[in-house]
């Protein structure tokens, strides 16, 4: 199977619930975000372009694209960044990571990875999140895992579960009967930086 996500940009309202639920479920340290929501509108962040009643702003949630042909995997010298053979999810092995950040340099999607320069810190003094989420470590690269601790148990990623406008869809892109495969087959979509040849597993309905 090849897990992937479809995001309906016509529904997305830029509320950042996906980013917050990701941060909570995965116990992300202070200053670390695996999901961000970019805005395309006026000159300032999350402002509209145009004038009423035709003003508009578009939102694009961005995280690891879990590419079918991931550039990051090719450059990792120790195999810490790898593609899970059963799910297609691009994962990180924190215990193997040597902190060289080659994966960050090779990834064409700016900002989807972060590097822990110091011991992970939390504003409340301790980590929260799913009990089986991987603990965070100093001097390693982190990124979205499609909530592997959940999806490996047949559950859905936290960002999809809590989206208030149902803008996210999750499933097996190789299963023609899955919701995500049907949406990709019947709706117009775009992918981020298709010319890079990475073949992302995240589709944006437009």
């Amino acid at each position: 199977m090849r897990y992937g996500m479809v995001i309906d940009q016509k529904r997305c309202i830029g509320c950042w619930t996906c980013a917050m639920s990701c941060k909570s479920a995965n116990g992300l340290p202070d200053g670390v975000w695996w999901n961000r929501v970019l805005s395309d509108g006026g000159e300032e962040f999350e402002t509209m372009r145009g004038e009423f009643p035709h003003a508009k702003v578009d939102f694009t949630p961005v995280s690891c694209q879990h590419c079918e042909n991931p550039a990051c995997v090719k450059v990792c010298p120790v195999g810490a960044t790898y593609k899970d053979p059963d799910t297609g999810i691009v994962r990180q092995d924190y215990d193997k990571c040597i902190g060289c950040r080659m994966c960050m340099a090779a990834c064409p999607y700016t900002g989807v990875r972060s590097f822990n320069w110091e011991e992970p810190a939390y504003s409340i003094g301790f980590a929260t999140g799913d009990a089986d989420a991987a603990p965070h470590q100093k001097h390693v690269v982190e990124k979205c895992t499609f909530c592997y601790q959940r999806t490996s148990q047949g559950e859905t990623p936290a960002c999809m579960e809590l989206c208030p406008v149902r803008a996210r869809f999750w499933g097996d892109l190789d299963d023609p009967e899955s919701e995500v495969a049907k949406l990709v087959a019947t709706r117009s979509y775009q992918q981020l930086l298709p010319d890079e040849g990475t073949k992302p597993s995240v589709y944006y309905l437009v």
Side-chain angles (χ1 to χ4, degrees):
M1 64 176 64
R2 180 168 67 97
Y3 277 140
M5 185 164 283
V6 172
I7 301 174
D8 191 337
Q9 288 187 278
K10 291 184 178 180
R11 293 188 181 187
C12 180
I13 58 174
C15 66
W16 281 72
T17 302
C18 54
M20 289 301 298
S21 58
C22 165
K23 191 172 182 69
S24 176
N26 292 285
L28 301 186
D30 293 351
V32 176
W33 296 90
W34 288 355
N35 275 273
R36 296 172 297 137
V37 183
L38 306 183
S39 63
D40 180 12
E43 294 183 1
E44 301 297 329
F45 181 61
E46 291 188 347
T47 59
M48 293 189 172
R49 62 182 179 272
E51 297 182 0
F52 179 82
H54 304 295
K56 184 180 182 182
V57 59
D58 298 309
F59 297 104
T60 303
V62 178
S63 63
C64 175
Q65 300 293 292
H66 294 278
C67 304
E68 190 174 353
N69 182 33
C72 56
V73 171
K74 298 177 182 179
V75 299
C76 180
V78 293
T81 300
Y82 65 101
K83 184 177 175 182
D84 185 83
D86 296 324
T87 63
I89 294 175
V90 177
R91 301 186 60 195
Q92 300 276 130
D93 187 330
Y94 300 152
D95 292 330
K96 287 185 178 180
C97 181
I98 58 174
C100 69
R101 288 162 283 152
M102 289 291 290
C103 57
M104 298 180 75
C107 177
Y109 306 104
T110 304
V112 301
R113 282 175 164 77
S114 60
F115 182 73
N116 292 333
W117 290 97
E118 303 294 339
E119 289 291 343
Y122 303 88
S123 57
I124 60 175
F126 56 89
T128 61
D130 295 343
D132 49 355
H136 304 279
Q137 302 178 28
K138 181 180 178 180
H139 289 168
V140 301
V141 176
E142 295 190 351
K143 67 174 194 64
C144 161
T145 65
F146 271 159
C147 284
Y148 192 80
Q149 73 276 13
R150 296 184 177 208
T151 55
S152 61
Q153 303 299 317
E155 302 175 14
T156 56
C159 61
M160 176 181 161
E161 281 190 347
L162 296 182
C163 177
V165 293
R166 189 73 167 100
R168 289 176 176 257
F169 305 85
W170 161 261
D172 181 6
L173 291 165
D174 284 345
D175 178 4
E177 296 303 314
S178 70
E179 187 173 27
V180 287
K182 290 179 179 178
L183 285 169
V184 170
T186 59
R187 291 277 302 273
S188 296
Y189 66 84
Q190 61 183 2
Q191 291 176 290
L192 300 183
L193 305 179
D195 292 342
E196 293 289 339
T198 56
K199 299 182 180 179
S201 294
V202 179
Y203 294 76
Y204 295 87
L205 303 180
V206 295

